[in-house]
Amino acid sequence: MKRRHFLLGACALVPACGMMPGQGLALAPNSTLIVTRHADRDGEDLNARGKERARALVTAVKEFEIDLIYSPGIKRNLDTAAPLSKARGLVVNRLPQEAPTGGLVQNGAGKTLIWIGNKGNIATIWEDLGLPEPMPIEYGDLHIVRADAQGRVTVERRRYGPR
């Protein structure tokens, strides 16, 4: 009996600790995950085009009632998120860049959130959620991943910012 309670308790902790890739991650019904790559850069800093693109992100997502903004704690990502954060009065929440999917899925249930990521972690999200190619890994790609009330997922692909 004690072993059963231990196993049940351990299983209950899995979402809080984050799931490993390929272990049944899916957006909850009525959830929207907007995914974009950080803006154009020179080294770790956004260049002039990147700063323009970061400002353009505010307009690109104006139709969405965004509940949460997520990014890894990397300067170029945080700088890309800053104009949106300021415009919406939302903090930029940080998730580990190596495995963000579990946190996005858990914290975004029934909400609309945006992930401002990098090529590698966007690829991880795409793989974890089993989403169709192409991934939003070019500067200015903006993909809207929606799960409807039955959990059916669609991906809408858009572009924003300077060409």
Side-chain angles (χ1 to χ4, degrees):
M1 184 66 138
K2 288 182 182 180
R3 183 170 185 234
R4 180 187 298 165
H5 288 290
F6 171 77
L7 290 174
L8 290 174
C11 291
L13 291 176
V14 169
C17 297
M19 296 179 78
M20 296 303 292
Q23 293 196 354
L25 292 172
L27 289 180
N30 298 314
S31 300
T32 300
L33 172 61
I34 303 166
V35 180
T36 191
R37 182 181 176 195
H38 62 76
D40 317 52
R41 66 183 173 119
D42 291 325
E44 286 301 308
D45 296 321
L46 299 184
N47 58 28
R49 186 182 193 109
K51 291 174 184 174
E52 182 182 350
R53 191 176 310 280
R55 290 188 298 271
L57 180 58
V58 175
T59 303
V61 297
K62 68 181 178 192
E63 72 195 73
F64 298 97
E65 291 187 30
I66 296 174
D67 299 299
L68 299 162
I69 302 171
Y70 280 96
S71 171
I74 301 170
K75 185 177 184 331
R76 62 186 175 263
N77 299 76
L78 297 171
D79 289 348
T80 302
L84 180 61
S85 172
K86 183 177 180 183
R88 297 293 181 104
L90 295 171
V91 300
V92 179
N93 300 283
R94 297 179 190 184
L95 287 173
Q97 67 175 334
E98 298 81 16
T101 316
L104 294 171
V105 167
Q106 180 181 2
N107 299 325
K111 298 177 182 172
T112 298
L113 60 146
I114 185 167
W115 172 255
I116 301 167
N118 302 67
K119 286 182 179 181
N121 52 56
I122 290 171
T124 297
I125 292 166
W126 239 244
E127 181 181 322
D128 289 348
L129 296 177
L131 299 172
E133 299 278 339
M135 297 176 281
I137 57 172
E138 301 300 325
Y139 297 132
D141 283 350
L142 184 75
H143 288 35
I144 298 98
V145 183
R146 294 182 180 98
D148 67 13
Q150 288 73 41
R152 290 183 299 250
V153 174
T154 59
V155 179
E156 179 184 349
R157 292 165 176 84
R158 298 183 185 178
R159 297 270 314 150
Y160 72 98
R163 299 266 173 204

